[in-house]
Amino acid sequence: MSIYLIVLSGLILGLGAVPFFRPRSIFDYPFVVGMFLSVWFLPQAWNVERLGLAGAFDPTLAWRYIILCIVFLVGGYLLGRGMNLQQAKTNQAEISAMYSEKRMSQASAGLIAVGAVAYFMMSRLAATDEYGAGWNGIIIVYATLAQCLVFGAALTFLIYLRTKDKFSLVLFFIATAVFAPVLFVSIKREFIFEFCVIVFGSLFLVRNIVPSRLILIAGCVIGAFIVNNAGDIRGYVKENDATLVGALTDSDLITQSTTSARDRSAEPAAPEVSGAVTDIAIASEIGDYYPFTSIINGMVSRYFPSFIFGRDAKNALMMKNRDENPLLNRYYANGATRTGFSDTFQDFWYFGVFAFMALGFFYGWTLNLAKIGGLRGQYLYVSMLGTGLHAITHSFAEFAAALPFLWLVVWLPFRYARITPEESKRLMLALHLQGRS
């Protein structure tokens, strides 16, 4: 094992170990990243170096770049947490006095309704042959709008914890029921993670409930098993007409998966990380970078309505790399995601570390807002933590492309629930009379 991979392993394991010693830091973004990379990235990285999965390319360059990315991510996070808390508290107090919790519940119901319909349409189209080879057109619109289901679930659960409003709790259960098949049958790891963050993150931010070390260890073990054996679990669920709970309690599946994992240790089993390593090595060897290409293409792919203006118009807006660039033939060649380390390096060279600094800063800033106690900050943080992990596991461009929609979904409920000046005056008068009595 090279010295750079040892340093990288120590850095990741060190971040991932912090919550076990200080459980209150369980939802701090760098530590969430550390825990996830410990069970997903490091085993692949060790396979890449031990088995030579990068071929003729030396993975040392990738390890150096990833070390810097993590260091800058932590640095950006500390900058975000160091922002002026007093001003943020003042802003939160002003915002809290400006909206109606009843109308906020209505807005969250609207989010859930939009998300549920979009999720149904997306699932129906995804099952057709037309979208078997790749997603284009209106299905991307449905996939984007389906995220309203997660946002609505987060908002309703937070409102319930803050006000004990039973209507909000019912809405949360409705949203959970809609995407329960994704959690327990389709075994979509990102949805499972987002659901856990919504529940436990909201309990932590609103009720100050911290999971015990025993629960944390059990959760990490179960999470690691799901992350690394999702294919086996899906196969078990399909063949036995079972659910995720049944798969996790089946001793034969656990034994089989553990044994097959040991057997696979001699096989090339690192698709995401080996792809990232080769992409970084090729980009460095060519020395030809394309600033903001991935981000712009991600924006166009997500938001341009090709089902209205045509696929050719959409393709014309995409930024292209030169035809002779070998990256065109290798990127997504094995069908696996390449991590956010790959696309940032391809776009910006070593300056891609500033993308991770911005990522850390965003989550440091939003956690500040969340811990102050304002609904908007809590809503923003628990809804977006899963997207922040996608920036690491899939691509930074996915995170950047999600931000415009995020701001819209955060702004709309607060805009709808805003108290008018007349209502505000009546409220202040009522409070004044109540105080005098």
Side-chain angles (χ1 to χ4, degrees):
M1 187 182 296
S2 68
I3 184 64
Y4 287 104
L5 184 53
I6 292 174
V7 172
L8 177 60
S9 301
L11 183 59
I12 290 174
L13 292 172
L15 289 173
V18 170
F20 294 96
F21 297 98
R22 191 161 62 98
R24 294 194 62 82
S25 64
I26 177 62
F27 293 105
D28 287 32
Y29 181 67
F31 305 138
V32 174
V33 171
M35 286 190 291
F36 188 82
L37 293 184
S38 296
V39 300
W40 169 75
F41 180 89
L42 284 185
Q44 290 198 27
W46 294 334
N47 269 349
V48 166
E49 188 157 294
R50 182 170 59 88
L51 303 175
L53 300 184
F57 299 107
D58 185 0
T60 300
L61 172 63
W63 306 152
R64 287 202 305 257
Y65 177 66
I66 296 170
I67 289 171
L68 289 174
C69 288
I70 295 175
V71 170
F72 272 72
L73 184 147
V74 173
Y77 175 80
L78 294 176
L79 286 174
R81 290 303 307 275
M83 292 185 67
N84 189 329
L85 292 180
Q86 188 57 44
Q87 182 61 41
K89 289 180 180 178
T90 302
N91 292 340
Q92 288 286 12
E94 292 175 354
I95 292 169
S96 298
M98 290 170 56
Y99 68 82
S100 162
E101 290 178 345
K102 180 180 179 180
R103 287 208 291 265
M104 189 67 76
S105 295
Q106 296 171 353
S108 61
L111 286 177
I112 292 172
V114 170
V117 172
Y119 173 73
F120 172 76
M121 296 300 296
M122 178 189 71
S123 301
R124 190 175 69 171
L125 286 178
T128 66
D129 293 335
E130 181 181 356
Y131 290 101
W135 283 14
N136 278 297
I138 198 169
I139 195 170
I140 297 180
V141 177
Y142 291 143
T144 300
L145 292 177
Q147 296 176 59
C148 291
L149 196 59
V150 176
F151 285 105
L155 189 54
T156 52
F157 193 59
L158 284 167
I159 293 173
Y160 168 72
L161 291 177
R162 294 167 65 94
T163 65
K164 296 186 178 179
D165 177 43
K166 293 182 180 180
F167 176 67
S168 296
L169 183 61
V170 170
L171 288 175
F172 172 72
F173 283 133
I174 291 174
T176 302
V178 172
F179 63 73
V182 178
L183 301 176
F184 299 109
V185 179
S186 300
I187 322 297
K188 297 295 184 181
R189 292 170 289 186
E190 58 270 26
F191 279 91
I192 295 173
F193 177 79
E194 287 175 344
F195 180 76
C196 291
V197 168
I198 288 173
V199 174
F200 294 104
S202 298
L203 288 170
F204 171 67
L205 292 171
V206 179
R207 299 286 178 85
N208 205 27
I209 297 175
V210 181
S212 66
R213 288 183 175 85
L214 182 62
I215 293 177
L216 182 56
I217 291 172
C220 287
V221 171
I222 295 172
F225 182 77
I226 294 174
V227 165
N228 293 298
N229 298 281
D232 294 337
I233 295 174
R234 292 189 191 106
Y236 175 89
V237 168
K238 183 176 181 180
E239 292 172 5
N240 296 277
D241 195 23
T243 64
L244 175 63
V245 176
L248 294 177
T249 55
D250 188 277
S251 57
D252 292 337
L253 174 64
I254 295 174
T255 302
Q256 176 186 345
S257 298
T258 305
T259 303
S260 63
R262 285 197 298 265
D263 294 340
R264 286 196 302 264
S265 64
E267 301 175 4
E272 294 92 354
V273 177
S274 61
V277 167
T278 54
D279 287 346
I280 290 172
I282 292 172
S284 177
E285 185 172 298
I286 296 174
D288 196 5
Y289 303 94
Y290 302 88
F292 298 101
T293 294
S294 297
I295 295 174
I296 292 174
N297 288 348
M299 292 282 190
V300 173
S301 176
R302 181 180 288 253
Y303 297 114
F304 184 81
S306 61
F307 59 93
I308 297 177
F309 298 102
R311 183 65 190 274
D312 290 340
K314 183 174 184 177
N315 288 339
L317 293 175
M318 293 281 193
M319 293 183 64
K320 304 295 193 305
N321 298 338
R322 289 211 303 265
D323 292 341
E324 65 267 20
N325 191 332
L327 285 172
L328 286 176
N329 300 321
R330 297 191 65 94
Y331 200 62
Y332 287 113
N334 63 2
T337 55
R338 319 291 267 215
T339 78
F341 307 116
S342 177
D343 69 331
T344 52
F345 190 88
Q346 288 174 327
D347 280 9
F348 305 109
W349 187 54
Y350 274 97
F351 293 107
V353 297
F354 290 104
F356 287 87
M357 187 174 185
L359 191 66
F361 181 86
F362 175 83
Y363 283 98
W365 169 63
T366 52
L367 185 58
N368 262 1
L369 297 179
K371 286 192 171 182
I372 287 169
L375 175 62
R376 187 171 65 173
Q378 294 169 347
Y379 168 47
L380 186 64
Y381 196 77
V382 299
S383 300
M384 279 295 292
L385 196 55
T387 305
L389 204 59
H390 256 227
I392 306 292
T393 60
H394 288 64
S395 73
F396 180 82
E398 286 196 19
F399 170 79
L403 284 180
F405 183 71
L406 160 71
W407 296 126
L408 179 65
V409 175
V410 169
W411 175 78
L412 280 176
F414 282 86
R415 180 65 183 85
Y416 172 77
R418 179 191 294 180
I419 296 176
T420 64
E422 292 75 16
E423 290 174 317
S424 181
K425 290 177 182 178
R426 289 196 296 267
L427 177 62
M428 295 300 295
L429 177 60
L431 291 175
H432 177 69
L433 294 176
Q434 183 180 2
R436 292 186 62 182
S437 62

